């Protein structure tokens, strides 16, 4: 995409839509009339496929009651494994290395508490200052549980410009006192993709456990954790994976660590053969599913099943290619048509270093995002000056990208954003 040439006219996006091999997926999603949805990186849209697998689970509950756990060869009892099989190709790991369980924050607690065994010499957890704050809250509380203060045991790599991280700075921070590293693959604000290979290899050379937060990457960027050979990973399923609001999250444990006991044990991490013998002694199931804690949240997992099947049909490389093409086209239009209004692009430009959204920067970003909302666009404002725009491979058309830019031009020409107060209204 780095070298793709686009055209400015209004016929051109129609041509792109007509030639789009993923274009037909749009009709499988619930697209509201008159709405241009640009927040699929925060909450993916509902699809008929996800609705159908949710409906099936509801019907099984109605018809089978307690027997729901046993229908279809115990599909729902083993639902973490079932979904892990659908998820594993998206990140290049074996299906038995994944648990579909809890929330991302819980997955961080689970993985950190599993791997964090501080000694006098190695007791620090290395993080960055741009990651989504819940990751940090979890890490801070994990070090406190071991009797440390975050100020002594959480080492923070600082961004130089508040937008991007420098991999070399991260590697420099990998000193002998670092036990674990937790980093995001795609930064939620600037969309930077970190060089996972370089950072992971450096951690491994130094004997440091390393885990990745894939929340803003999975379902958008192609990932191969298997060849990376990192130690663990966590991710949510409601952003690019379209699993539904608060759908169950997941984690990956490299199989070389299967013998470790989970930091947070519960009966769904017990061997299935003895789980219902209800013994007082925990018998850890030594694969990814052994990191589950309690009963699987069937109704928060069922939509993920339908949503993931679409990824299989479409293929991750096609999805990434379309996503890059949509965002390249958006950046082209921003540069050609919006620069004169004071807009700039706040993300990195190389394909390999950017995720699925474009950061549109403007000093009036807040009021402009309010004006966009009043015109049916759903953007995502981030303090102090960024509007995140995420055209999604499965359901955003090139015509919508064009139309949204036309709306932005209209807002700026009419100064329509000035009708809105700059006072923040914190209902997201
Ligand atoms: C979205 C996101 C989360 C979400 O955490 P939940 O516990 O699932 O609410 C966590 N970390 C990052 C980096 C995210 O982007």
């Amino acid at each position: 995409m780095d070298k793709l040439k686009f055209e400015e006219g209004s016929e051109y996006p129609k041509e792109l839509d007509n030639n789009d091999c993923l274009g037909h997926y749009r009709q499988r999603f619930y697209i509201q009339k008159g709405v241009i949805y640009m927040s699929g990186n925060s909450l993916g849209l509902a699809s008929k496929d996800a609705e159908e697998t949710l409906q099936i689970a509801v019907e099984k509950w109605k018809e089978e009651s307690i027997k729901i756990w046993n229908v279809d060869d115990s599909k729902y009892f083993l639902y973490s494994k079932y979904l892990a099989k659908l998820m594993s190709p998206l990140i290049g790991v074996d299906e038995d290395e994944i648990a579909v369980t809890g929330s991302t924050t819980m997955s961080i607690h689970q993985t950190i508490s599993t791997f964090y065994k501080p000694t006098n010499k190695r007791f620090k957890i290395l993080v960055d200052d741009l990651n989504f704050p819940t990751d940090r809250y979890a890490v801070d509380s994990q070090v406190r549980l071991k009797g440390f203060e975050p100020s002594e045991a959480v080492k923070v790599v600082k961004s130089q410009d508040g937008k991007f991280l420098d991999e070399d700075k991260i590697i420099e921070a990998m000193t002998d006192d670092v036990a674990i590293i937790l980093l995001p693959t795609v930064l939620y604000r600037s969309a930077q993709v970190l060089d996972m290979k370089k950072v992971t290899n450096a951690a491994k050379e130094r004997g440091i456990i390393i885990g990745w937060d894939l929340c803003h990457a999975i379902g958008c960027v192609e990932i191969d954790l298997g060849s990376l050979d990192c130690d663990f990973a966590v991710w949510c399923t409601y952003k690019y994976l379209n699993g539904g609001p608060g759908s169950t999250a997941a984690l990956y444990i490299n199989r070389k660590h299967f013998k470790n006991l989970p930091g947070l044990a519960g009966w769904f991490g017990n061997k299935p053969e003895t789980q219902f013998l209800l013994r007082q002694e925990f018998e850890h199931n030594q694969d990814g599913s052994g990191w589950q804690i309690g009963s699987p949240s069937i109704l928060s997992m069922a939509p993920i099943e339908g949503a993931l099947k679409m990824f299989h049909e479409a293929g991750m490389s096609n999805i990434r290619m379309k996503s890059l093409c949509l965002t390249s086209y958006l950046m082209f239009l921003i540069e050609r048509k919006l620069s004169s209004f004071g807009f700039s692009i706040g993300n990195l430009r190389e394909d390999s270093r950017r995720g699925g959204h474009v950061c549109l920067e403007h000093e009036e970003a807040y009021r402009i995002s309010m004006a966009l909302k009043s015109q049916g666009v759903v953007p995502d404002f981030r303090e102090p000056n960024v509007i995140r725009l995420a055209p999604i491979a499965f359901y955003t058309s090139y015509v919508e990208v064009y139309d949204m830019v036309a709306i932005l031009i209209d807002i700026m020409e009419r100064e329509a954003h000035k009708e809105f107060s700059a006072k923040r209204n914190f209902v997201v």
Side-chain angles (χ1 to χ4, degrees), residues 73-86:
D73 295 329
S74 304
K75 169 176 165 178
Y76 293 110
F77 178 62
L78 302 171
Y79 214 18
S80 170
K81 277 182 182 288
Y82 188 94
L83 296 180
K85 185 172 179 169
L86 294 172

Side-chain angles (χ1 to χ4, degrees), residues 8 70 108 165 206 214 217 250 330 399 420:
E8 283 184 47
N70 309 109
I108 295 170
L165 293 171
R206 292 161 180 75
L214 312 177
L330 174 55
V399 166
F420 295 87

